[in-house]
Amino acid sequence: MDPIIRTLPPPSSLSPSVVSFLNTKLNTREDLDQAPGLVSELRNQCHALDQSLSDLNTQLRDYLRNYASHSDRTGALLRDINSKLGDLQFASRSAASSSDGGSGKVLGEELPALAKEVARVDTVRTYAETALKLDTLVGDIEDAVSSTVKRTLKREQSTKSSEEMRGVAIRTLKLTEDTLRFVAKTYPQWTRLVLAVDHRVDRSLAILRPQAIADHRSLLTSLGWPPPLSTLNSSGTESKQSADVQNPLFTMKGDLKQQYCESFLALCSLQELQRQRKSRQLEGQNREIALHQPLWAIEELVNPISIASQHHFSKWVDKPEYIFALVYKVTRDYVDSMDELLQPLVDEAMLSGYSCREEWISAMVTSLSTYLAKEIFPVYVSQLDEESTSGTQSQARISWLHLIDLMIAFDKRIQSLASHSGIVLSLQEDGKPEKLSSFSVFCDRSDWLDLWADIELTDAFDKLKPEIENERSWSMEVRGVAALSAQEDNKSPAIAGAFHQRLSAVIDRCRSLPSITLRSRFLKLTGPPIIHKFLGSLLFRCQEAEGLTALTDDDALMKVAKSVNAARYFESILNEWCEDIFFLEMGLNQVTQLDTSTDGNDFCSEESSGNGILYGEIKKLEEFRVGWVEKLSVVVLRGFNVCCRDYLKNKKQWQEKGEEGWMVSQCFVGALDYLQGKMSVLEKALNRMDFVGVWRSLAPGLDKLIFNGILMTNAKFSDGGVERLSNDLTVLFGVFGAWCLRPEGFFPKLSEGLKMLKMGKKQLQNCLAGGEIWLKENGIRHLTAIELEKVAKNRI
């Protein structure tokens, strides 16, 4: 054997980080040719570290020299104080035999100055002691970090392992942080001292954390992590068990298990230390957002799995269901070890507010979301762009909607997996629900959200088009759950149920979005267009019926009535939704955004607080319904006017007795028959609420029509004519008596006019002379003085 060649040390004497380093740098035979250069590079690094250690020793000597100088000055100050105290004692003795004026001068001037000087000296002493203590602690930290790095690179044999030295550094860091926290709270003016120490600690942490992570990764590699991923073929099911793949976290034993636990604890301790430092440095600011970070040790478990999974993912771009199945399978298979093995270590490290189960699941979901954002969605977007240029977008839209379906199903299963340990509550307190949602890909890509909303809207319109064109959808009434969700007597056509179900489906899909802002944006992009499409269909049918027959035909009235029923049904559905917490949250978020952008404009606040995010659409449905209900009453009133035109023109009949054998005037029978016929059609076709609106709107019109057409003309009324008019109005009131107890109350002018006609001559004279008080006492409140005089003159 060549004496120049030295034998390699046994592998057991090498640390895991050194073994990992050699495996990385000397992996192939060609790498051996580069060994001399690697040795030279390592020697240069060691020389640089030695020089850094020498510089640190020089700085320490300077600090000690400065401390000695401070001590000398402090000693001189203390001697000066002793001298002044001696002078004070002498002055006090002299004051006993002197006048009160001299004693007052000592107490009033010299004692406050002396107390101030003592306080200043005490502060200087405390500052010097604190600075020395912090300098010593930081020096210990730097020594421990330097020793750890030096031992790792030079493979020095030491009584303390790398983990022990790292533990020393972490404990010293905690002592330093406790001291800094005390100083920052007690002496806030010592800002420069705190900043100087923070700067040196940050430099040490910049070395310590990467080294701890590198050693932790080496341990994971020696444990056999990541475990082999089982390949899911097309015939495989998600319930397929992987009993042949063992969990390395459960199988590790002996020294290897102890080393892993110590390394895990070290990372958790470093993270807790970092959290405390951030909490102190961000005092008085919004700290919750900056303080909560993913658990470093769990990230080191997830990252290798994520890298290994991407090899499989790249083959399944066209089969995304396999991607979701694999991620869920890995998440489920190893989630129990997080609770049983790692959670006690997190608790031991006193890392508050962390659940290993939560961090494992959220890290796996985050890795999936990252892959979707980088690899899957860009492909689907490009497919949509390609198909848009060719004019067909069916296949790309189908693929996109299928991907959304998979994401929704995956999120539900993940949330079910997480709910076993109550993670949903902790996420709500933390305000980070997107941690367990694959839809977090839309948080930073609003353009993708808009594209998804457009695809959902197009798909909804495509599915609604056959329903709109099918006449049976307008003739059949809503049945089943859709009818029960609104008022019982809605009489709404099935087309309203179809729009309701389609809008509900779109809204249910946006419930998976992780933030209120995203859900609100999606709903604004999809909800109003669907409602406007529904309203446009209703308006088209009403205008079509009006244009063909002017609503004189019963079929036209039925068509308009069904449209009004559909609007009432949809309006009630939207009002019910706006009372749900899902819509209330979006409404409050809208109020906040409007107040921010308009400085609390009253109009915006009123609009948003009215009916929430769908307020505008509800108002449009209401305006449509009220407008066409009013139009129905106008149509009936116009037809009644045509039927009773001869009855109104015949003025002589009021000076004659009633026709023999008739309780009502023959000319008035046709008009009453028309009125009752049309109202029967509307009562059968319209829902109860809007039918009430029709007859209540119709009654004042009839009251005004008959009052002006009979009582406000020059017709003269005899006793027989008054009785005849009374009989006619009784029958008219009877038509409306089917819907109310006192129908005459809806005909105030006719009722009061008839009442005056029935008065005697003396009563009429009192009426005209009594004034407003007499009229009110006798129940006449709706006739003006001119109308009263006109009615009185017509009585003969």
Side-chain angles (χ1 to χ4, degrees):
M1 181 181 295
D2 191 345
I4 299 177
I5 299 177
R6 292 175 293 177
T7 59
L8 292 172
S12 60
S13 64
L14 301 176
S15 66
S17 58
V18 173
V19 173
S20 176
F21 176 79
L22 293 175
N23 289 337
T24 303
K25 296 295 185 179
L26 304 176
N27 192 25
T28 62
R29 184 176 297 275
E30 288 76 9
D31 293 338
L32 294 176
D33 297 336
Q34 308 296 328
L38 180 61
V39 171
S40 176
E41 180 182 352
L42 291 176
R43 285 176 177 172
N44 291 335
Q45 293 180 4
C46 290
H47 177 73
L49 291 173
D50 289 338
Q51 184 63 38
S52 177
L53 181 60
S54 176
D55 294 340
L56 290 174
N57 289 330
T58 302
Q59 291 180 9
L60 180 59
R61 285 194 297 271
D62 293 339
Y63 289 144
L64 292 176
R65 192 179 299 110
N66 292 335
Y67 174 71
S69 176
H70 286 307
S71 298
D72 293 341
R73 289 197 296 271
T74 303
L77 289 172
L78 291 175
R79 285 192 295 273
D80 184 47
I81 291 172
N82 287 331
S83 175
K84 291 184 177 181
L85 289 174
D87 295 341
L88 178 61
Q89 185 178 12
F90 176 75
S92 298
R93 290 174 181 174
S94 301
S97 57
S98 63
S99 62
D100 294 339
S103 176
K105 180 179 180 181
V106 172
L107 295 176
E109 298 180 4
E110 295 186 6
L111 276 180
L114 182 60
K116 184 176 181 181
E117 185 68 17
V118 170
R120 187 182 71 82
V121 172
D122 185 64
T123 302
V124 171
R125 177 184 59 78
T126 304
Y127 184 88
E129 291 177 353
T130 305
L132 179 61
K133 179 181 179 181
L134 288 173
D135 184 72
T136 303
L137 290 173
V138 174
D140 292 342
I141 295 170
E142 292 171 343
D143 289 343
V145 172
S146 178
S147 177
T148 302
V149 175
K150 190 173 182 181
R151 183 182 181 279
T152 301
L153 294 177
K154 288 192 171 184
R155 304 190 303 274
E156 291 181 352
Q157 299 299 326
S158 174
T159 56
K160 293 184 178 181
S161 67
S162 178
E163 288 294 335
E164 290 176 345
M165 295 301 297
R166 187 176 296 117
V168 170
I170 293 174
R171 287 192 292 273
T172 310
L173 280 166
K174 288 184 177 179
L175 290 174
T176 305
E177 179 58 30
D178 291 341
T179 305
L180 287 175
R181 187 178 294 274
F182 173 78
V183 170
K185 185 177 181 180
T186 310
Y187 303 101
Q189 68 273 21
W190 294 356
T191 307
R192 292 187 178 181
L193 175 62
V194 175
L195 290 177
V197 176
D198 274 341
H199 178 67
R200 292 179 62 185
V201 171
D202 286 339
R203 289 192 303 179
S204 297
L205 286 174
I207 300 173
L208 188 62
R209 179 188 170 186
Q211 185 64 41
I213 291 177
D215 291 345
H216 191 77
R217 289 174 180 174
S218 300
L219 275 173
L220 286 175
T221 303
S222 61
L223 285 174
W225 190 273
L229 303 176
S230 59
T231 304
L232 297 177
N233 53 37
S234 58
S235 61
T237 62
E238 297 180 46
S239 60
K240 180 180 177 181
Q241 300 295 326
S242 55
D244 53 330
V245 180
Q246 296 181 339
N247 187 345
L249 298 179
F250 281 143
T251 58
M252 61 181 180
K253 298 178 181 178
D255 293 340
L256 197 58
K257 181 176 181 179
Q258 182 180 358
Q259 290 178 14
Y260 177 79
C261 291
E262 291 177 353
S263 178
F264 190 94
L265 275 172
L267 278 182
C268 291
S269 299
L270 278 175
Q271 186 163 2
E272 174 62 14
L273 176 67
Q274 184 74 6
R275 190 189 67 83
Q276 292 178 1
R277 287 171 54 78
K278 287 292 184 184
S279 177
R280 171 176 56 80
Q281 294 169 354
L282 296 175
E283 188 72 34
Q285 303 180 27
N286 189 6
R287 298 182 295 174
E288 296 301 324
I289 299 176
L291 293 182
H292 191 90
Q293 296 180 350
L295 202 59
W296 297 346
I298 300 298
E299 280 191 323
E300 295 306 321
L301 290 173
V302 172
N303 289 339
I305 292 181
S306 178
I307 295 173
S309 300
Q310 291 183 14
H311 172 70
H312 300 282
F313 293 169
S314 61
K315 304 175 183 178
W316 297 337
V317 175
D318 296 331
K319 296 287 184 180
E321 56 269 22
Y322 293 162
I323 296 177
F324 291 95
L326 179 58
V327 173
Y328 177 76
K329 181 181 183 301
V330 173
T331 305
R332 179 199 61 194
D333 289 348
Y334 298 102
V335 71
D336 292 335
S337 61
M338 304 298 151
D339 280 338
E340 298 175 16
L341 179 64
L342 302 184
Q343 187 61 45
L345 298 177
V346 172
D347 296 339
E348 183 180 348
M350 300 181 69
L351 194 57
S352 60
Y354 281 93
S355 164
C356 284
R357 185 185 188 95
E358 171 185 345
E359 293 298 321
W360 166 257
I361 296 175
S362 64
M364 290 296 297
V365 173
T366 300
S367 67
L368 172 64
S369 300
T370 303
Y371 185 81
L372 292 176
K374 289 184 177 179
E375 303 295 338
I376 302 297
F377 272 97
V379 173
Y380 281 33
V381 171
S382 63
Q383 290 177 356
L384 285 171
D385 293 339
E386 291 176 2
E387 292 191 359
S388 63
T389 56
S390 62
T392 58
Q393 298 184 10
S394 58
Q395 188 57 44
R397 287 195 290 111
I398 292 173
S399 299
W400 185 289
L401 294 175
H402 178 57
L403 178 62
I404 297 297
D405 291 336
L406 294 173
M407 293 170 67
I408 293 174
F410 174 80
D411 283 0
K412 289 181 179 179
R413 300 183 67 193
I414 283 294
Q415 290 168 6
S416 175
L417 186 65
S419 63
H420 292 297
S421 61
I423 291 176
V424 176
L425 294 177
S426 68
L427 287 176
Q428 289 177 352
E429 293 170 0
D430 183 33
K432 291 282 187 179
E434 64 266 19
K435 293 169 61 178
L436 292 186
S437 175
S438 59
F439 283 86
S440 58
V441 297
F442 294 109
C443 291
D444 298 324
R445 294 302 302 263
S446 59
D447 55 332
W448 289 355
L449 182 69
D450 296 349
L451 186 58
W452 173 30
D454 182 69
I455 293 174
E456 289 285 355
L457 189 60
T458 303
D459 181 67
F461 285 163
D462 290 344
K463 292 178 179 178
L464 287 170
K465 185 177 180 180
E467 297 287 344
I468 296 174
E469 296 174 352
N470 185 5
E471 193 61 32
R472 292 189 61 188
S473 299
W474 296 92
S475 58
M476 296 177 57
E477 292 187 3
V478 176
R479 292 287 185 266
V481 178
L484 295 177
S485 62
Q487 56 191 24
E488 295 181 2
D489 186 29
N490 58 75
K491 298 182 181 180
S492 176
I495 187 65
F499 270 91
H500 170 213
Q501 293 175 1
R502 185 52 46 198
L503 181 59
S504 298
V506 173
I507 292 175
D508 287 340
R509 290 169 74 80
C510 85
R511 291 178 187 269
S512 300
L513 289 169
S515 72
I516 297 175
T517 302
L518 292 178
R519 293 195 291 269
S520 177
R521 182 185 182 96
F522 184 90
L523 183 57
K524 289 178 182 177
L525 292 172
T526 55
I530 293 177
I531 299 173
H532 293 166
K533 181 73 173 179
F534 173 68
L535 193 56
S537 302
L538 299 181
L539 183 61
F540 174 78
R541 290 184 65 84
C542 291
Q543 291 176 340
E544 182 182 39
E546 184 182 28
L548 291 175
T549 64
L551 301 182
T552 57
D553 184 53
D554 288 350
D555 291 337
L557 288 178
M558 295 279 286
K559 183 178 289 189
V560 173
K562 287 184 177 295
S563 296
V564 171
N565 293 339
R568 164 72 70 175
Y569 168 83
F570 220 78
E571 182 185 341
S572 64
I573 290 293
L574 295 183
N575 279 317
E576 286 180 9
W577 283 356
C578 288
E579 296 175 359
D580 186 83
I581 186 64
F582 177 76
F583 292 91
L584 288 175
E585 287 179 339
M586 289 188 286
L588 291 175
N589 182 67
Q590 184 181 22
V591 170
T592 302
Q593 292 179 349
L594 289 172
D595 288 344
T596 302
S597 60
T598 61
D599 296 328
N601 185 289
D602 293 339
F603 172 78
C604 294
S605 299
E606 181 182 352
E607 177 180 342
S608 300
S609 61
N611 283 301
I613 194 170
L614 297 176
Y615 173 81
E617 284 62 44
I618 293 175
K619 290 297 293 182
K620 290 178 181 178
L621 286 169
E622 181 183 1
E623 291 170 1
F624 168 83
R625 179 177 53 78
V626 171
W628 282 95
V629 163
E630 183 68 25
K631 190 167 291 188
L632 288 175
S633 64
V634 170
V635 167
V636 176
L637 179 62
R638 188 171 59 236
F640 181 86
N641 185 19
V642 172
C643 292
C644 69
R645 189 169 296 167
D646 293 339
Y647 173 75
L648 297 177
K649 288 182 178 181
N650 187 0
K651 300 177 183 179
K652 294 182 179 180
Q653 62 182 329
W654 308 120
Q655 301 178 26
E656 303 172 355
K657 293 184 178 180
E659 301 172 10
E660 186 176 353
W662 289 84
M663 292 294 296
V664 63
S665 301
Q666 293 186 36
C667 295
F668 198 46
V669 171
L672 291 174
D673 182 65
Y674 170 85
L675 176 64
Q676 195 162 17
K678 293 299 180 182
M679 294 305 291
S680 298
V681 171
L682 291 176
E683 185 178 16
K684 181 180 179 181
L686 270 178
N687 65 84
R688 187 178 305 167
M689 297 293 291
D690 286 313
F691 177 71
V692 170
V694 169
W695 71 256
R696 284 196 173 190
S697 175
L698 177 62
L702 293 174
D703 182 48
K704 182 178 180 181
L705 173 68
I706 299 175
F707 180 80
N708 291 334
I710 297 178
L711 298 181
M712 288 293 100
T713 61
N714 296 322
K716 303 299 180 180
F717 287 86
S718 64
D719 291 343
V722 171
E723 182 181 359
R724 183 173 188 166
L725 177 62
S726 177
N727 292 336
D728 292 347
L729 294 183
T730 300
V731 176
L732 175 63
F733 295 161
V735 174
F736 288 83
W739 311 307
C740 60
L741 294 177
R742 283 189 67 255
E744 60 272 13
F746 295 93
F747 297 83
K749 288 183 176 292
L750 283 176
S751 299
E752 294 177 2
L754 182 61
K755 186 175 182 179
M756 288 196 61
L757 289 176
K758 290 182 177 181
M759 291 180 182
K761 183 176 182 182
K762 188 175 182 179
Q763 273 188 305
L764 281 177
Q765 292 174 351
N766 293 335
C767 173
L768 296 176
E772 185 176 350
I773 297 177
W774 188 93
L775 293 175
K776 288 184 178 180
E777 289 177 352
N778 288 270
I780 298 176
R781 304 172 182 272
H782 298 87
L783 298 181
T784 65
I786 298 177
E787 292 170 341
L788 288 172
E789 185 178 356
K790 185 75 173 177
V791 173
K793 289 181 178 180
N794 290 338
R795 183 71 168 94
I796 59 174

